[in-house]
Amino acid sequence: MSCLCPATHFHNILARFVLGCCLIFASVGVQFALAHSATLRWASNTEPDLIGYKVYQGTTPGSYGLAVDVGNTTIYTTQNLQNGRRYYFAITAYDKSGNESSPSTEVSLQTPPPLSASIQPSITSVASATANVNEETFLADWKIAGVGNLDGDARADIVVRNRKTGDAGGWLGNGLTLGSTGLIAAGVATEWSIAGLGDLDGDGKDDIVVRNTSTGDVGAWLGNGLTLGATGLIAMGVPAEWIIAGLGDLDGDGKDDIVVRDTSTGDVGVWIGNGLTLGATGLIAVGVPAEWSIAGLGDLGGDGKDDIVVRNTSTGDVGVWFGNGVNEPTQTGVIGGSLRHWAIVGISDMDDDGQSDIVWRDTTDGSVVVWQGNGMNAPTTVNVLAASVPTSWEIVGVGDLEGNGRADIVWRNKADGSVAVWQGNGLNAPTTASVLAGSGPLKWETPS
């Protein structure tokens, strides 16, 4: 089974040594996990008189202050390692007569530095930084990075990112008009990408989860409106094949969790939200076929736990896994199928009934449809919100910008960069739309 905990993998180091004339180690490997532990694995011996193995550990090469008899097993996890230290390990084997082999070839690992090594970018004052969304440079250089409630006022806000400078900013939700804007972080290195928004610490404010595309590190900026809150590293050196697939509260504790997917094996795991530190982790599905992708998270069943919506890219089938924390889903099922040219563009509560709904976009003609959330069952209501919306407009987020319990749809024009919002009208076509930035035409602003 693949290791779910984000880890830095160390190459196996061949180690050969002999007990008497016959006991041979094949290999020793070390894996470091963020929970301040290291797991050693080695190949088993086949000699009939083998009794067990001993693991030696120290902080100086060739000098071991700790020896642990692990018995006849080929895996051992040592706990309570300190940050910022290099540890050295060797293994011996012993037989029924008490004979102990010479130590294996020594292996070592360097634990990560203390988490005070912050990912906080250098910040210029908002007073001296330009956050005017009406400038032409905004339309060309900025992208929408996410929609979430940064200030805890029950209205979703828009997070933007400058492709060239790395600056990250926020537009506070204000319904159909542009609210206050500000620079949250200036000059963030471009290898740090925004992976999602969610309330990791349960304070009612969504936090920004970031991922370093070079090192694999995962961090968070706690939501603080238009200013940068506390920052920290959640996980270091997460292998590139593990991607962040979404955020949502899978266990109903009021904190959003991070769903990860191993693109090489298909395994799906969960990191329980715990603010700026890594919470409990677990595998919830193993070896999921590659054609099943995670489309998003939302509480389709209305039980206070977010569920995972999956999509089969080959058949178009749509499925749901009921949220169950770090455990396997309590229930799974297919709720629709044969939707090959439709894309899921948002999952949110459109009609204020306590259950998330699924927003779809026809990739051929631009039409927008909503499925009313109905748990593990097919939707009871399927409504067309708009037909034939120009494909130059793309949906970049769904969230309640007004604070009325009904999610609104945020659009971006790929041609001129304009940003617009459709006022949520439940499962019905929106009656009002407005341009928040830019001057793109809204011929579809009152769709029928």
Side-chain angles (χ1 to χ4, degrees), residues 168-204:
W171 304 350
L172 295 189
N174 194 41
L176 297 177
T177 60
L178 186 65
S180 300
T181 66
L183 192 64
I184 297 174
V188 181
T190 54
E191 59 263 27
W192 283 101
S193 63
I194 294 177
L197 278 73
D199 184 6
L200 298 177
D201 58 355
D203 66 351

PDB file of all heavy atoms in Angstrom, residues 168-204:
ATOM      1  N   ALA A 168      -1.043  38.157  -4.457  1.00  0.00           N
ATOM      2  CA  ALA A 168      -2.352  37.560  -4.173  1.00  0.00           C
ATOM      3  C   ALA A 168      -3.227  38.617  -3.518  1.00  0.00           C
ATOM      4  O   ALA A 168      -2.787  39.320  -2.592  1.00  0.00           O
ATOM      5  CB  ALA A 168      -2.209  36.345  -3.274  1.00  0.00           C
ATOM      6  N   GLY A 169      -4.427  38.764  -3.998  1.00  0.00           N
ATOM      7  CA  GLY A 169      -5.331  39.780  -3.475  1.00  0.00           C
ATOM      8  C   GLY A 169      -6.711  39.225  -3.204  1.00  0.00           C
ATOM      9  O   GLY A 169      -7.019  38.079  -3.525  1.00  0.00           O
ATOM     10  N   GLY A 170      -7.540  40.054  -2.602  1.00  0.00           N
ATOM     11  CA  GLY A 170      -8.911  39.655  -2.290  1.00  0.00           C
ATOM     12  C   GLY A 170      -9.903  40.729  -2.648  1.00  0.00           C
ATOM     13  O   GLY A 170      -9.609  41.922  -2.581  1.00  0.00           O
ATOM     14  N   TRP A 171     -11.080  40.298  -3.094  1.00  0.00           N
ATOM     15  CA  TRP A 171     -12.228  41.188  -3.297  1.00  0.00           C
ATOM     16  C   TRP A 171     -13.299  40.712  -2.335  1.00  0.00           C
ATOM     17  O   TRP A 171     -13.771  39.575  -2.444  1.00  0.00           O
ATOM     18  CB  TRP A 171     -12.783  41.093  -4.713  1.00  0.00           C
ATOM     19  CG  TRP A 171     -11.833  41.346  -5.828  1.00  0.00           C
ATOM     20  CD1 TRP A 171     -10.560  41.826  -5.769  1.00  0.00           C
ATOM     21  CD2 TRP A 171     -12.104  41.126  -7.220  1.00  0.00           C
ATOM     22  NE1 TRP A 171     -10.017  41.918  -7.015  1.00  0.00           N
ATOM     23  CE2 TRP A 171     -10.937  41.495  -7.925  1.00  0.00           C
ATOM     24  CE3 TRP A 171     -13.203  40.658  -7.930  1.00  0.00           C
ATOM     25  CZ2 TRP A 171     -10.860  41.410  -9.320  1.00  0.00           C
ATOM     26  CZ3 TRP A 171     -13.114  40.567  -9.306  1.00  0.00           C
ATOM     27  CH2 TRP A 171     -11.963  40.943 -10.001  1.00  0.00           C
ATOM     28  N   LEU A 172     -13.674  41.538  -1.402  1.00  0.00           N
ATOM     29  CA  LEU A 172     -14.699  41.127  -0.449  1.00  0.00           C
ATOM     30  C   LEU A 172     -16.054  41.055  -1.137  1.00  0.00           C
ATOM     31  O   LEU A 172     -16.421  41.914  -1.932  1.00  0.00           O
ATOM     32  CB  LEU A 172     -14.747  42.084   0.734  1.00  0.00           C
ATOM     33  CG  LEU A 172     -13.491  42.122   1.617  1.00  0.00           C
ATOM     34  CD1 LEU A 172     -13.751  42.937   2.876  1.00  0.00           C
ATOM     35  CD2 LEU A 172     -13.020  40.716   1.982  1.00  0.00           C
ATOM     36  N   GLY A 173     -16.789  39.979  -0.819  1.00  0.00           N
ATOM     37  CA  GLY A 173     -18.089  39.773  -1.430  1.00  0.00           C
ATOM     38  C   GLY A 173     -19.060  40.889  -1.086  1.00  0.00           C
ATOM     39  O   GLY A 173     -19.186  41.286   0.077  1.00  0.00           O
ATOM     40  N   ASN A 174     -19.741  41.369  -2.110  1.00  0.00           N
ATOM     41  CA  ASN A 174     -20.695  42.456  -1.918  1.00  0.00           C
ATOM     42  C   ASN A 174     -21.855  42.311  -2.901  1.00  0.00           C
ATOM     43  O   ASN A 174     -22.327  43.272  -3.477  1.00  0.00           O
ATOM     44  CB  ASN A 174     -19.992  43.813  -2.113  1.00  0.00           C
ATOM     45  CG  ASN A 174     -20.827  44.974  -1.614  1.00  0.00           C
ATOM     46  OD1 ASN A 174     -21.461  44.882  -0.567  1.00  0.00           O
ATOM     47  ND2 ASN A 174     -20.841  46.063  -2.363  1.00  0.00           N
ATOM     48  N   GLY A 175     -22.273  41.059  -3.091  1.00  0.00           N
ATOM     49  CA  GLY A 175     -23.381  40.832  -4.003  1.00  0.00           C
ATOM     50  C   GLY A 175     -22.994  41.119  -5.439  1.00  0.00           C
ATOM     51  O   GLY A 175     -21.991  40.612  -5.946  1.00  0.00           O
ATOM     52  N   LEU A 176     -23.762  41.973  -6.074  1.00  0.00           N
ATOM     53  CA  LEU A 176     -23.576  42.260  -7.490  1.00  0.00           C
ATOM     54  C   LEU A 176     -22.660  43.442  -7.747  1.00  0.00           C
ATOM     55  O   LEU A 176     -22.481  43.859  -8.891  1.00  0.00           O
ATOM     56  CB  LEU A 176     -24.931  42.514  -8.156  1.00  0.00           C
ATOM     57  CG  LEU A 176     -25.892  41.326  -8.155  1.00  0.00           C
ATOM     58  CD1 LEU A 176     -27.221  41.715  -8.782  1.00  0.00           C
ATOM     59  CD2 LEU A 176     -25.295  40.140  -8.876  1.00  0.00           C
ATOM     60  N   THR A 177     -22.092  43.990  -6.689  1.00  0.00           N
ATOM     61  CA  THR A 177     -21.141  45.092  -6.857  1.00  0.00           C
ATOM     62  C   THR A 177     -19.806  44.700  -6.226  1.00  0.00           C
ATOM     63  O   THR A 177     -19.734  43.808  -5.377  1.00  0.00           O
ATOM     64  CB  THR A 177     -21.651  46.391  -6.212  1.00  0.00           C
ATOM     65  OG1 THR A 177     -21.858  46.173  -4.807  1.00  0.00           O
ATOM     66  CG2 THR A 177     -22.967  46.826  -6.857  1.00  0.00           C
ATOM     67  N   LEU A 178     -18.777  45.383  -6.659  1.00  0.00           N
ATOM     68  CA  LEU A 178     -17.446  45.078  -6.141  1.00  0.00           C
ATOM     69  C   LEU A 178     -17.288  45.647  -4.747  1.00  0.00           C
ATOM     70  O   LEU A 178     -17.499  46.843  -4.516  1.00  0.00           O
ATOM     71  CB  LEU A 178     -16.388  45.661  -7.078  1.00  0.00           C
ATOM     72  CG  LEU A 178     -14.939  45.316  -6.767  1.00  0.00           C
ATOM     73  CD1 LEU A 178     -14.702  43.826  -6.939  1.00  0.00           C
ATOM     74  CD2 LEU A 178     -14.000  46.112  -7.669  1.00  0.00           C
ATOM     75  N   GLY A 179     -16.917  44.790  -3.792  1.00  0.00           N
ATOM     76  CA  GLY A 179     -16.675  45.257  -2.444  1.00  0.00           C
ATOM     77  C   GLY A 179     -15.261  45.775  -2.285  1.00  0.00           C
ATOM     78  O   GLY A 179     -14.560  46.062  -3.269  1.00  0.00           O
ATOM     79  N   SER A 180     -14.816  45.874  -1.049  1.00  0.00           N
ATOM     80  CA  SER A 180     -13.455  46.330  -0.784  1.00  0.00           C
ATOM     81  C   SER A 180     -12.452  45.357  -1.396  1.00  0.00           C
ATOM     82  O   SER A 180     -12.683  44.154  -1.446  1.00  0.00           O
ATOM     83  CB  SER A 180     -13.210  46.433   0.723  1.00  0.00           C
ATOM     84  OG  SER A 180     -14.105  47.347   1.315  1.00  0.00           O
ATOM     85  N   THR A 181     -11.342  45.900  -1.856  1.00  0.00           N
ATOM     86  CA  THR A 181     -10.278  45.067  -2.423  1.00  0.00           C
ATOM     87  C   THR A 181      -8.971  45.369  -1.711  1.00  0.00           C
ATOM     88  O   THR A 181      -8.787  46.451  -1.145  1.00  0.00           O
ATOM     89  CB  THR A 181     -10.107  45.325  -3.930  1.00  0.00           C
ATOM     90  OG1 THR A 181      -9.638  46.671  -4.126  1.00  0.00           O
ATOM     91  CG2 THR A 181     -11.419  45.134  -4.670  1.00  0.00           C
ATOM     92  N   GLY A 182      -8.068  44.435  -1.733  1.00  0.00           N
ATOM     93  CA  GLY A 182      -6.786  44.655  -1.087  1.00  0.00           C
ATOM     94  C   GLY A 182      -5.770  43.612  -1.464  1.00  0.00           C
ATOM     95  O   GLY A 182      -6.098  42.539  -1.985  1.00  0.00           O
ATOM     96  N   LEU A 183      -4.519  43.930  -1.204  1.00  0.00           N
ATOM     97  CA  LEU A 183      -3.415  43.029  -1.472  1.00  0.00           C
ATOM     98  C   LEU A 183      -3.159  42.194  -0.223  1.00  0.00           C
ATOM     99  O   LEU A 183      -2.827  42.718   0.838  1.00  0.00           O
ATOM    100  CB  LEU A 183      -2.177  43.842  -1.834  1.00  0.00           C
ATOM    101  CG  LEU A 183      -0.989  43.099  -2.418  1.00  0.00           C
ATOM    102  CD1 LEU A 183      -1.350  42.480  -3.766  1.00  0.00           C
ATOM    103  CD2 LEU A 183       0.194  44.042  -2.585  1.00  0.00           C
ATOM    104  N   ILE A 184      -3.330  40.879  -0.338  1.00  0.00           N
ATOM    105  CA  ILE A 184      -3.105  39.991   0.802  1.00  0.00           C
ATOM    106  C   ILE A 184      -1.623  39.662   0.942  1.00  0.00           C
ATOM    107  O   ILE A 184      -1.076  39.642   2.042  1.00  0.00           O
ATOM    108  CB  ILE A 184      -3.936  38.705   0.640  1.00  0.00           C
ATOM    109  CG1 ILE A 184      -5.434  39.056   0.634  1.00  0.00           C
ATOM    110  CG2 ILE A 184      -3.612  37.709   1.739  1.00  0.00           C
ATOM    111  CD1 ILE A 184      -6.320  37.852   0.343  1.00  0.00           C
ATOM    112  N   ALA A 185      -0.973  39.380  -0.163  1.00  0.00           N
ATOM    113  CA  ALA A 185       0.445  39.029  -0.136  1.00  0.00           C
ATOM    114  C   ALA A 185       1.083  39.473  -1.438  1.00  0.00           C
ATOM    115  O   ALA A 185       0.539  39.237  -2.515  1.00  0.00           O
ATOM    116  CB  ALA A 185       0.620  37.520   0.055  1.00  0.00           C
ATOM    117  N   ALA A 186       2.231  40.133  -1.352  1.00  0.00           N
ATOM    118  CA  ALA A 186       2.918  40.646  -2.536  1.00  0.00           C
ATOM    119  C   ALA A 186       4.141  39.804  -2.858  1.00  0.00           C
ATOM    120  O   ALA A 186       4.840  39.320  -1.965  1.00  0.00           O
ATOM    121  CB  ALA A 186       3.342  42.098  -2.313  1.00  0.00           C
ATOM    122  N   GLY A 187       4.377  39.615  -4.143  1.00  0.00           N
ATOM    123  CA  GLY A 187       5.597  38.963  -4.585  1.00  0.00           C
ATOM    124  C   GLY A 187       5.760  37.529  -4.149  1.00  0.00           C
ATOM    125  O   GLY A 187       6.880  37.073  -3.908  1.00  0.00           O
ATOM    126  N   VAL A 188       4.668  36.790  -4.055  1.00  0.00           N
ATOM    127  CA  VAL A 188       4.767  35.379  -3.689  1.00  0.00           C
ATOM    128  C   VAL A 188       5.457  34.628  -4.833  1.00  0.00           C
ATOM    129  O   VAL A 188       5.087  34.780  -5.996  1.00  0.00           O
ATOM    130  CB  VAL A 188       3.376  34.779  -3.429  1.00  0.00           C
ATOM    131  CG1 VAL A 188       3.493  33.316  -3.017  1.00  0.00           C
ATOM    132  CG2 VAL A 188       2.641  35.582  -2.358  1.00  0.00           C
ATOM    133  N   ALA A 189       6.454  33.839  -4.519  1.00  0.00           N
ATOM    134  CA  ALA A 189       7.182  33.108  -5.557  1.00  0.00           C
ATOM    135  C   ALA A 189       6.221  32.302  -6.414  1.00  0.00           C
ATOM    136  O   ALA A 189       5.282  31.680  -5.899  1.00  0.00           O
ATOM    137  CB  ALA A 189       8.224  32.198  -4.913  1.00  0.00           C
ATOM    138  N   THR A 190       6.471  32.305  -7.709  1.00  0.00           N
ATOM    139  CA  THR A 190       5.529  31.688  -8.638  1.00  0.00           C
ATOM    140  C   THR A 190       5.422  30.177  -8.468  1.00  0.00           C
ATOM    141  O   THR A 190       4.428  29.581  -8.898  1.00  0.00           O
ATOM    142  CB  THR A 190       5.919  32.014 -10.093  1.00  0.00           C
ATOM    143  OG1 THR A 190       7.286  31.622 -10.307  1.00  0.00           O
ATOM    144  CG2 THR A 190       5.783  33.497 -10.365  1.00  0.00           C
ATOM    145  N   GLU A 191       6.417  29.527  -7.842  1.00  0.00           N
ATOM    146  CA  GLU A 191       6.283  28.084  -7.632  1.00  0.00           C
ATOM    147  C   GLU A 191       5.262  27.749  -6.551  1.00  0.00           C
ATOM    148  O   GLU A 191       4.860  26.593  -6.413  1.00  0.00           O
ATOM    149  CB  GLU A 191       7.624  27.440  -7.279  1.00  0.00           C
ATOM    150  CG  GLU A 191       8.295  27.963  -6.040  1.00  0.00           C
ATOM    151  CD  GLU A 191       9.345  29.026  -6.371  1.00  0.00           C
ATOM    152  OE1 GLU A 191       9.197  29.692  -7.419  1.00  0.00           O
ATOM    153  OE2 GLU A 191      10.295  29.171  -5.597  1.00  0.00           O
ATOM    154  N   TRP A 192       4.843  28.760  -5.781  1.00  0.00           N
ATOM    155  CA  TRP A 192       3.763  28.551  -4.824  1.00  0.00           C
ATOM    156  C   TRP A 192       2.438  28.798  -5.538  1.00  0.00           C
ATOM    157  O   TRP A 192       2.133  29.916  -5.937  1.00  0.00           O
ATOM    158  CB  TRP A 192       3.884  29.493  -3.627  1.00  0.00           C
ATOM    159  CG  TRP A 192       4.930  29.092  -2.635  1.00  0.00           C
ATOM    160  CD1 TRP A 192       6.177  29.619  -2.498  1.00  0.00           C
ATOM    161  CD2 TRP A 192       4.817  28.069  -1.643  1.00  0.00           C
ATOM    162  NE1 TRP A 192       6.852  28.992  -1.489  1.00  0.00           N
ATOM    163  CE2 TRP A 192       6.048  28.038  -0.938  1.00  0.00           C
ATOM    164  CE3 TRP A 192       3.803  27.187  -1.273  1.00  0.00           C
ATOM    165  CZ2 TRP A 192       6.275  27.144   0.114  1.00  0.00           C
ATOM    166  CZ3 TRP A 192       4.036  26.299  -0.233  1.00  0.00           C
ATOM    167  CH2 TRP A 192       5.259  26.284   0.451  1.00  0.00           C
ATOM    168  N   SER A 193       1.655  27.746  -5.709  1.00  0.00           N
ATOM    169  CA  SER A 193       0.345  27.868  -6.344  1.00  0.00           C
ATOM    170  C   SER A 193      -0.749  27.778  -5.293  1.00  0.00           C
ATOM    171  O   SER A 193      -0.562  27.158  -4.233  1.00  0.00           O
ATOM    172  CB  SER A 193       0.155  26.768  -7.391  1.00  0.00           C
ATOM    173  OG  SER A 193       0.175  25.484  -6.775  1.00  0.00           O
ATOM    174  N   ILE A 194      -1.870  28.419  -5.560  1.00  0.00           N
ATOM    175  CA  ILE A 194      -3.017  28.326  -4.656  1.00  0.00           C
ATOM    176  C   ILE A 194      -3.788  27.060  -5.010  1.00  0.00           C
ATOM    177  O   ILE A 194      -4.295  26.915  -6.120  1.00  0.00           O
ATOM    178  CB  ILE A 194      -3.900  29.581  -4.752  1.00  0.00           C
ATOM    179  CG1 ILE A 194      -3.123  30.793  -4.226  1.00  0.00           C
ATOM    180  CG2 ILE A 194      -5.197  29.391  -3.966  1.00  0.00           C
ATOM    181  CD1 ILE A 194      -3.877  32.116  -4.329  1.00  0.00           C
ATOM    182  N   ALA A 195      -3.855  26.132  -4.054  1.00  0.00           N
ATOM    183  CA  ALA A 195      -4.453  24.825  -4.308  1.00  0.00           C
ATOM    184  C   ALA A 195      -5.918  24.754  -3.930  1.00  0.00           C
ATOM    185  O   ALA A 195      -6.627  23.837  -4.348  1.00  0.00           O
ATOM    186  CB  ALA A 195      -3.675  23.745  -3.553  1.00  0.00           C
ATOM    187  N   GLY A 196      -6.393  25.708  -3.127  1.00  0.00           N
ATOM    188  CA  GLY A 196      -7.795  25.688  -2.731  1.00  0.00           C
ATOM    189  C   GLY A 196      -8.056  26.558  -1.535  1.00  0.00           C
ATOM    190  O   GLY A 196      -7.131  27.071  -0.894  1.00  0.00           O
ATOM    191  N   LEU A 197      -9.333  26.732  -1.218  1.00  0.00           N
ATOM    192  CA  LEU A 197      -9.756  27.508  -0.059  1.00  0.00           C
ATOM    193  C   LEU A 197     -10.659  26.648   0.812  1.00  0.00           C
ATOM    194  O   LEU A 197     -11.493  25.884   0.319  1.00  0.00           O
ATOM    195  CB  LEU A 197     -10.522  28.764  -0.483  1.00  0.00           C
ATOM    196  CG  LEU A 197      -9.726  29.999  -0.912  1.00  0.00           C
ATOM    197  CD1 LEU A 197      -9.097  29.786  -2.282  1.00  0.00           C
ATOM    198  CD2 LEU A 197     -10.634  31.233  -0.947  1.00  0.00           C
ATOM    199  N   GLY A 198     -10.489  26.778   2.126  1.00  0.00           N
ATOM    200  CA  GLY A 198     -11.328  26.064   3.070  1.00  0.00           C
ATOM    201  C   GLY A 198     -11.005  26.482   4.487  1.00  0.00           C
ATOM    202  O   GLY A 198      -9.907  26.971   4.770  1.00  0.00           O
ATOM    203  N   ASP A 199     -11.943  26.264   5.388  1.00  0.00           N
ATOM    204  CA  ASP A 199     -11.783  26.689   6.778  1.00  0.00           C
ATOM    205  C   ASP A 199     -11.084  25.578   7.565  1.00  0.00           C
ATOM    206  O   ASP A 199     -11.725  24.711   8.159  1.00  0.00           O
ATOM    207  CB  ASP A 199     -13.150  27.006   7.380  1.00  0.00           C
ATOM    208  CG  ASP A 199     -13.055  27.550   8.793  1.00  0.00           C
ATOM    209  OD1 ASP A 199     -11.931  27.790   9.266  1.00  0.00           O
ATOM    210  OD2 ASP A 199     -14.113  27.737   9.428  1.00  0.00           O
ATOM    211  N   LEU A 200      -9.762  25.612   7.590  1.00  0.00           N
ATOM    212  CA  LEU A 200      -8.980  24.542   8.210  1.00  0.00           C
ATOM    213  C   LEU A 200      -9.028  24.556   9.731  1.00  0.00           C
ATOM    214  O   LEU A 200      -8.817  23.524  10.367  1.00  0.00           O
ATOM    215  CB  LEU A 200      -7.517  24.631   7.762  1.00  0.00           C
ATOM    216  CG  LEU A 200      -7.245  24.466   6.262  1.00  0.00           C
ATOM    217  CD1 LEU A 200      -5.759  24.650   5.981  1.00  0.00           C
ATOM    218  CD2 LEU A 200      -7.709  23.106   5.765  1.00  0.00           C
ATOM    219  N   ASP A 201      -9.270  25.729  10.328  1.00  0.00           N
ATOM    220  CA  ASP A 201      -9.221  25.829  11.787  1.00  0.00           C
ATOM    221  C   ASP A 201     -10.579  26.063  12.432  1.00  0.00           C
ATOM    222  O   ASP A 201     -10.662  26.232  13.647  1.00  0.00           O
ATOM    223  CB  ASP A 201      -8.236  26.914  12.219  1.00  0.00           C
ATOM    224  CG  ASP A 201      -8.578  28.290  11.636  1.00  0.00           C
ATOM    225  OD1 ASP A 201      -9.530  28.387  10.820  1.00  0.00           O
ATOM    226  OD2 ASP A 201      -7.886  29.260  11.987  1.00  0.00           O
ATOM    227  N   GLY A 202     -11.650  26.080  11.633  1.00  0.00           N
ATOM    228  CA  GLY A 202     -12.995  26.159  12.188  1.00  0.00           C
ATOM    229  C   GLY A 202     -13.373  27.491  12.790  1.00  0.00           C
ATOM    230  O   GLY A 202     -14.259  27.544  13.642  1.00  0.00           O
ATOM    231  N   ASP A 203     -12.742  28.586  12.342  1.00  0.00           N
ATOM    232  CA  ASP A 203     -13.064  29.894  12.905  1.00  0.00           C
ATOM    233  C   ASP A 203     -14.084  30.657  12.062  1.00  0.00           C
ATOM    234  O   ASP A 203     -14.350  31.829  12.322  1.00  0.00           O
ATOM    235  CB  ASP A 203     -11.797  30.734  13.077  1.00  0.00           C
ATOM    236  CG  ASP A 203     -11.140  31.107  11.746  1.00  0.00           C
ATOM    237  OD1 ASP A 203     -11.567  30.573  10.690  1.00  0.00           O
ATOM    238  OD2 ASP A 203     -10.200  31.933  11.756  1.00  0.00           O
ATOM    239  N   GLY A 204     -14.644  30.013  11.057  1.00  0.00           N
ATOM    240  CA  GLY A 204     -15.636  30.661  10.210  1.00  0.00           C
ATOM    241  C   GLY A 204     -15.053  31.436   9.054  1.00  0.00           C
ATOM    242  O   GLY A 204     -15.796  32.020   8.257  1.00  0.00           O
TER     243      GLY A 204
END
